[in-house]
Amino acid sequence: MESKGDHTGIGSCIALALSDQRNLKISSDSAGKRRIPLYNLLWLSISGETLVIEYAAQCSKTSITPETWSFPIAPGSDESNPDEFVSTVLAQAYSGSQPRKRAFVLVNPHAGPGGALRKWSKVKPLFQAAKMEMNVVVLQRGGEAAELVQGLDIEKYDTIVACSGDGTPHEIFNGLGKRSDAARALSTVAVSHIPCGSGNAMSLNLYGTSQPSLAALAIIKGHITPLDLVSMTQGDRRILSFLSQSLGLVAECDLGTENLRWMGGSRFEVGILMRILRRRCYPCDLAVKAELVTKTDVKAHYRKYVGEPHGQNSRKMIPPGQVDSLDLPPLKYGTVNDPLPDGWQMVKRETLGTFYCGNMAYMAANANFFPAALPCDGLMDLVTVDGDLNPITAAKLLYSVEHGKFFDDDHVEYKKISGYRIIPRNQKDGYISIDGERVPFEPFQAEIHQGLGRVISKKGVFESDGPANWNEES
């Protein structure tokens, strides 16, 4: 029997590791050796004179389930070798990752189209097989996740698992951000995600999947990764954003289609088609602190970042307990109530159709709006598109996102920035989306904090292919 699903690129597997242990005599079943990729290995243990292997078996293209393989250790084996073998293989299987993570699990049964409780019941056995410690809470109301993590003893946990859509991770980051030791909390406990919503952007970016069981395995085997977080201010209010901020077409297609949640991710496509036919524009005043203004420069920046040796970007990660201050970082550019920062120029955008600022690449399945996004480069990716485009042109443009051609389209402005201020005009009511959550339709300002948060990822970068031809020198 051969288990599939080695997503780490590690060529060795349990069958080979067993054969290399010359002093460990084991029996084999009639079907012969089983090949289990190290990525799928959950746990090994010795029970009496039996070696027990617990692993994730691929039961379909979109699902895995824990299985157990046990066989006796043949008489005459060196008594010290079984334990040595277990330690050696586990060290390889969890190379670069912490085994037996301690998890605070928040299940949101109201996320997306529903079904989070059912999905959690299916992935929980994977965590149990990996010997993870779990404290599970089923959420009853909005805002509860933020309240729970505000009072959480963060020393007891390695990760907070959101079994939900993207709204619960948003609550978690903001709950941690409201603590008296906010900076320490955000740099100590990693946020992870079991996808149960409509968009599931967090899981898509960190694990490359919207399938709960595959995401669970990625959490078990994943690496602690620093994540930039964004402070957004409106009046005296400060919100942390981990995913995106938007005004215009995208915000309306997200927040204006809440009544279509039963459709799942398809509701976004329906919302877009309904609105581009109107050539809707959202006049505003916009000022940005631009850092990379051409697409060529953006590609070069991406190429340099992903070309660093694996784990090199962890140098940007502040060790827990060594933050300069317990408070959130001060706002370098002030708030939306302050005078415009030096060097910023306010520009009138009369025909703006889409203002979309991303901190991750994927916003939903097949919606890689920000292919050059990086988890810890200290920059936001800003996309702006005019709203007065011919409906056919606009439809083709948005369709190009799915095919990886959106970034290079001439109608798309793509920059990397460190801050911005946007002031809506000529509209009393509308939609502004922060991580998919609606906030008041009024001026707001944002700036980025490099490496402030922590997540669990598969390989330290987002599961995105990057901009087209990013690895070719211009």
Side-chain angles (χ1 to χ4, degrees), residues 298-317:
V298 170
K299 288 184 179 181
H301 172 79
Y302 186 88
R303 180 166 58 247
K304 179 180 179 182
Y305 188 102
V306 300
E308 292 180 342
H310 179 70
Q312 186 80 359
N313 294 304
S314 64
R315 70 182 188 277
K316 304 180 180 73
M317 186 163 61

Side-chain angles (χ1 to χ4, degrees), residues 58 67 77 82 92 141 160 182 188 199 215 217 226 234 238 243 288 293 297 343 366 378 391 393 419 441:
Q58 196 94 29
E67 290 190 5
S77 296
Q92 295 178 27
R141 55 183 173 80
I160 303 173
T188 298
L217 181 58
Q234 280 188 318
R238 181 178 181 179
L243 179 60
V288 303
V293 298
D297 288 342
N366 299 320
T393 300
F441 192 76

Side-chain angles (χ1 to χ4, degrees), residues 4-5 7 39-40 56-58 60-65 123 126 193-195 203 207-220 458:
K4 300 179 181 179
H7 303 295
Y39 181 77
N40 289 53
Q58 196 94 29
S60 71
K61 291 183 178 180
T62 59
S63 181
I64 55 176
T65 187
V123 303
L126 288 165
H193 186 214
I194 298 294
S203 178
Y207 320 127
T209 183
S210 59
Q211 300 301 324
S213 61
L214 299 181
L217 181 58
I219 293 170
I220 292 168
K458 288 183 71 173

